[in-house]
Amino acid sequence: MTGDPARRDRALGSLTGLAIGDALGMPTQSMSLREIRADYGRITDFVDASPNQRIAHGMRAATVTDDTEQAILVARLLIDGGGHIDPREFADRLVEWERAMEARGSLDLLGPSTKAAVGRILRGVPVSEAGSGGTTNGAAMRIAPVGIATPPGDTSSLVDAVVAASSVTHNTGLGIAGAAAVAAAVSAGIDGASREEAVDAAVEAAREGAGRGVWVAGGDIAARIEWARSWLPRVPAEARLEALFDVVGTSVASQESVVAAVALASLDQDPWTTLGQAASVGGDTDTIGAMAGAILGAVFGTAVWPGAAVTRIDRVNGFDLAALADGLLELRDGSGVRE
């Protein structure tokens, strides 16, 4: 166990927030704002997936999706690898994960960028080329463990860690910038940054990440976060979800969903309320909730999540997030790193 109880609490808070945000958004993922309103109203707690839920049909309340499961996979690979992830092993583990999901009858499978990259690797395409088309939020949704394991001091070094964990599937400026924004906000939060400081770190890292990997056309994520964080608080509270859905966008595109998640996390309000909004906004709700939850948990720690929600997440999914938090913090301190 690491020596700083407050920092450990924030690391655990980040992983817990990721899982809570993911599970709140599970029943609404890939639904429109109008469809969510018709089936659920506003999401204020865990609910079962409705009969109209195409991807998670039949899943019970508080069940997580690929966002949490792949983040846990990244955490275990980091810990087992002493801070390093072998790209081929990562691809193999992603394939194993998808096959297990298919065997369970789930439609919650690999996202488009990840699936395409893994397929290229299995066909013999060099790992360095496999992720050249990955622009979606697949890297960002699972990057929180890298933020926990990596100190925030030097933005370039933090983005290096993001690239090492992401480029196998998302080796584009958009994919890396989105993942870097989430990782940097989490990393800053672990070291005690305020909400505003964590978002500042996200902007800086997104700006650095945009210059990595293959250039692909798309709105600049750093610029969009800076604009959205100043614009969204000026939108009347009752109109914010419609504004996010219509103007920022909530699709799997990094320049939409990552921006939406960071903008929501930047609002000066109760984090549990924020994750309910993420689950209610439409589009890629589980991923937006997972990213916002990871950031807010890193900033505020475990106390910000209702005890009943934490207990239910653990009971339904059978996690040991505390052990993962400890292992990731050992990497951050250098005691778990292998050369």
Side-chain angles (χ1 to χ4, degrees), residues 135-155:
T135 62
T136 60
N137 58 24
M141 77 180 193
R142 60 184 181 236
I143 203 66
V146 173
I148 296 171
T150 309
D154 175 35
T155 300

Side-chain angles (χ1 to χ4, degrees), residues 113-176:
S113 294
T114 299
K115 191 174 186 67
V118 168
R120 291 189 191 106
I121 291 171
L122 296 179
R123 291 194 301 271
V125 174
V127 169
S128 60
E129 301 174 12
S132 60
T135 62
T136 60
N137 58 24
M141 77 180 193
R142 60 184 181 236
I143 203 66
V146 173
I148 296 171
T150 309
D154 175 35
T155 300
S156 182
S157 295
L158 185 142
V159 175
D160 287 344
V162 170
V163 171
S166 305
S167 60
V168 64
T169 58
H170 292 77
N171 192 25
T172 66
L174 288 172
I176 293 168

Side-chain angles (χ1 to χ4, degrees), residues 6-7 10 152 186-195 197-198 298-299 332:
R7 192 177 60 164
R10 290 191 291 268
V186 168
S187 181
I190 299 299
D191 267 14
S194 67
R195 189 198 308 251
E197 290 167 340
V299 170
R332 190 182 186 96

Side-chain angles (χ1 to χ4, degrees), residues 292-321:
I295 293 169
L296 291 168
V299 170
F300 295 107
T302 59
V304 79
W305 307 126
V310 175
T311 299
R312 195 170 185 190
I313 280 284
D314 289 342
R315 185 178 70 247
V316 170
N317 300 283
F319 294 141
D320 186 3
L321 298 180

Side-chain angles (χ1 to χ4, degrees), residues 134-269:
T135 62
T136 60
N137 58 24
M141 77 180 193
R142 60 184 181 236
I143 203 66
V146 173
I148 296 171
T150 309
D154 175 35
T155 300
S156 182
S157 295
L158 185 142
V159 175
D160 287 344
V162 170
V163 171
S166 305
S167 60
V168 64
T169 58
H170 292 77
N171 192 25
T172 66
L174 288 172
I176 293 168
V182 176
V186 168
S187 181
I190 299 299
D191 267 14
S194 67
R195 189 198 308 251
E196 183 176 358
E197 290 167 340
V199 176
D200 289 342
V203 171
E204 183 178 352
R207 189 172 292 119
E208 169 76 19
R212 307 292 187 94
V214 177
W215 181 84
V216 177
D220 183 77
I221 290 174
R224 284 174 61 79
I225 291 173
E226 285 195 298
W227 164 75
R229 73 185 295 194
S230 63
W231 166 75
L232 191 59
R234 300 197 301 270
V235 176
E238 65 276 9
R240 283 178 184 160
L241 296 190
E242 287 83 355
L244 277 173
F245 186 76
D246 292 337
V247 180
V248 175
T250 59
S251 76
V252 298
S254 292
Q255 65 269 35
E256 292 191 5
S257 50
V258 173
V259 175
V262 178
L264 278 171
S266 73
L267 291 173
D268 184 16
Q269 62 183 12

Side-chain angles (χ1 to χ4, degrees), residues 26-71:
M26 173 275 294
T28 60
Q29 60 182 305
S30 298
M31 297 176 72
S32 71
L33 184 57
R34 183 175 62 182
E35 289 171 329
I36 293 169
R37 292 278 173 82
D39 279 17
Y40 306 101
R42 293 286 183 99
I43 299 294
T44 59
D45 203 346
F46 301 121
V47 296
D48 296 332
S50 79
N52 294 321
Q53 171 51 241
R54 297 176 293 277
I55 297 174
H57 179 70
M59 291 178 70
R60 59 177 176 155
T63 303
V64 300
T65 76
D66 58 329
D67 301 82
T68 305
E69 293 189 355
Q70 289 189 32

